[in-house]
Amino acid sequence: MHHRYGISISREALRKLLHRKGLSWTRPTYTLAKGDPDRQKKLRETNGSDKKT
């Protein structure tokens, strides 16, 4: 915030501000991309099963 607005705030102050607003400061989580149904079907046909062994 300091570079953009010329003010600075500590992490704890930001955390408390967000908490008062009903928000939380979290890190982004990894999400898997949606699988390709055609490739999954082909793999099942090749392996003869759709479950891991």
Side-chain angles (χ1 to χ4, degrees):
M1 287 179 70
H2 184 265
H3 298 293
R4 184 174 224 169
Y5 300 107
I7 60 170
S8 62
I9 185 170
S10 70
R11 288 182 184 200
E12 186 63 15
L14 178 58
R15 188 194 65 77
K16 288 180 180 180
L17 175 67
L18 290 172
H19 182 72
R20 284 195 303 266
K21 300 291 184 180
L23 303 170
S24 63
W25 179 7
T26 59
R27 295 184 184 272
T29 57
Y30 178 78
T31 56
L32 295 173
K34 188 171 181 173
D36 182 359
D38 294 331
R39 288 182 68 192
Q40 291 174 353
K41 183 178 178 184
K42 192 177 203 180
L43 180 63
R44 280 190 217 112
E45 291 169 355
T46 303
N47 290 341
S49 173
D50 60 350
K51 294 183 178 182
K52 292 183 179 179
T53 57

